[in-house]
Amino acid sequence: MFAKNMIIYRVNRDVDFNADKLEQQLEEFKLTPCGSQDKQKFGWVSALPKGEMFTHLSGGHILLRSCKQEKLLPAACINKLVKEKVDYMEAQEGRPLRKAEKDDIRDDIVMDKLPTAFIKETFTNVFIFPTDGLIVVDTSTHKKAEDTLALLRKSMGSLPCIPLIPQIAVETTLTEWVKTGDVPSGYEIGNAADMKSILDDGGTVKLKNNELTSDAVHQHIEENKMVIALELSWQDRISFVLKENMQLSRVNFGDVITDQNEDIPREDVHARMDADFALAAGEMLALIKSLIDVLGGLPLLIKSHPNSP
């Protein structure tokens, strides 16, 4: 329930995130398991594992969960079977097969193997903060985040939102923090960073287990390298890596947070997950608001037309 990654979006016009209405909308696009000839399926599942509702509401925040099922057909295995069949057919007919014929053989083999293929499931949590007009997708890639938002947009009919990007470029602020060592109150710089030259042929540098206030790091900055990812901690509560695109990766909630619900028996799965969600959502929202503030605020939104997608 505690996010490992945070890709953040802001809603750019008023949207009614009514939980009851949303429940009905998600129902129409729930996950239907892969059939024998399906390669993959994508849809909504219960917000809490083993729960019954597609939405989970706590403290005004909403949790959703998508699931993607994919049939696992290793390319190396398929290629081997295709080659064996092609070699056999070419030997039988005494001629090389055309590309279209090889493609047909590949398609036949894939369809033959689909019913017995293993199924991989990938779950993605979506945290919605209606009052603040924010959405957080817990995934490490923008492709997966956009796929989940596309499903939510399809479910709701429309969802006008954009990535949350501060008014001042993130890399400009991060570089200044590392250069001066002067970070906002409540924040501490870790010992890992990625740096990239502003010059086309300047290259990149990945720093791990480094003292980022050292002369060597400052030399990189003098050589026109910008900090594009920086390990940070916030109030000794959450540590993370902040990237230039405002994505947070390697998010880790400290013991001061995760221990708060230890008095709830883990055997009471629903109560524990409900409490963890409420706690995680509150901390995530507080962190996002703090980041917006220390990174220079957000640009003004240009409100989209009510009928815009």
Side-chain angles (χ1 to χ4, degrees):
M1 201 56 60
F2 293 93
K4 299 297 184 184
N5 301 276
M6 294 169 60
I7 297 182
I8 312 166
Y9 297 82
R10 61 191 298 212
V11 179
N12 59 359
R13 71 171 170 83
D14 292 336
V15 175
D16 180 17
F17 287 109
N18 179 278
D20 292 334
K21 181 180 180 181
L22 191 55
E23 182 72 24
Q24 297 175 0
Q25 293 171 325
L26 300 187
E27 168 75 29
E28 296 184 31
F29 296 91
K30 66 182 180 181
L31 177 72
T32 56
C34 280
S36 62
Q37 297 301 316
D38 292 321
K39 291 184 179 180
Q40 64 179 36
K41 283 294 187 74
F42 188 41
W44 301 109
V45 293
S46 59
L48 297 180
K50 300 182 180 180
E52 298 179 356
M53 303 286 287
F54 293 104
T55 59
H56 183 73
L57 181 66
S58 180
H61 313 315
I62 302 173
L63 176 68
L64 315 176
R65 192 166 61 121
S66 67
C67 177
K68 185 174 186 179
Q69 290 188 347
E70 297 176 274
K71 294 285 186 68
L72 298 181
L73 295 170
C77 297
I78 297 298
N79 291 339
K80 180 176 183 294
L81 294 174
V82 170
K83 184 179 184 305
E84 290 174 352
K85 184 65 177 289
V86 168
D87 289 346
Y88 174 78
M89 294 292 293
E90 289 181 341
Q92 289 291 308
E93 299 188 16
R95 65 175 180 86
L97 296 186
R98 298 186 299 275
K99 181 180 184 303
E101 293 173 309
K102 294 179 181 179
D103 290 343
D104 287 342
I105 290 174
R106 177 177 296 277
D107 290 342
D108 289 342
I109 289 175
V110 168
M111 296 303 290
D112 180 62
K113 296 300 179 183
L114 275 175
T116 57
F118 288 106
I119 296 176
K120 175 185 176 182
E121 289 188 327
T122 303
F123 298 93
T124 302
N125 286 335
V126 181
F127 298 79
I128 301 176
F129 304 96
T131 302
D132 298 275
L134 296 171
I135 299 174
V136 176
V137 185
D138 181 4
T139 181
S140 60
T141 70
H142 280 271
K143 173 65 167 60
K144 290 181 180 179
E146 292 294 341
D147 286 347
T148 299
L149 283 183
L151 179 63
L152 182 55
R153 187 174 293 113
K154 184 177 180 181
S155 302
M156 297 181 65
S158 69
L159 180 61
C161 64
I162 57 176
L164 186 143
I165 301 295
Q167 189 161 307
I168 301 172
V170 175
E171 61 269 27
T172 299
T173 302
L174 297 185
T175 302
E176 186 65 18
W177 288 356
V178 172
K179 180 179 179 180
T180 63
D182 184 16
V183 295
S185 176
Y187 289 85
E188 290 185 7
I189 294 177
N191 59 7
D194 292 347
M195 305 183 74
K196 183 178 181 180
S197 175
I198 61 175
L199 305 176
D200 291 339
D201 57 351
T204 60
V205 176
K206 286 186 175 293
L207 303 171
K208 293 183 178 180
N209 299 319
N210 276 264
E211 176 55 58
L212 298 184
T213 58
S214 68
D215 291 341
V217 174
H218 287 173
Q219 183 63 35
H220 285 304
I221 295 176
E222 292 298 322
E223 294 171 353
N224 296 313
K225 288 187 176 66
M226 302 287 288
V227 178
I228 60 172
L230 181 63
E231 186 179 62
L232 294 163
S233 64
W234 175 66
Q235 296 185 354
D236 294 324
R237 301 174 73 81
I238 306 176
S239 63
F240 55 93
V241 172
L242 177 60
K243 301 183 179 180
E244 61 180 333
N245 59 5
M246 197 57 190
Q247 177 181 347
L248 278 65
S249 64
R250 290 166 48 192
V251 178
N252 182 52
F253 292 78
D255 293 342
V256 67
I257 296 175
T258 57
D259 287 349
Q260 289 186 37
N261 291 332
E262 284 301 313
D263 59 327
I264 302 175
R266 291 189 178 275
E267 292 76 15
D268 192 346
V269 177
H270 190 276
R272 180 58 184 263
M273 287 189 172
D274 173 61
D276 283 349
F277 166 65
L279 182 59
E283 293 291 335
M284 290 164 61
L285 183 58
L287 172 60
I288 293 170
K289 288 182 175 181
S290 176
L291 284 171
I292 291 173
D293 181 53
V294 300
L295 292 173
L298 300 175
L300 292 176
L301 283 174
I302 299 176
K303 296 290 185 178
S304 59
H305 188 276
N307 294 324
S308 298

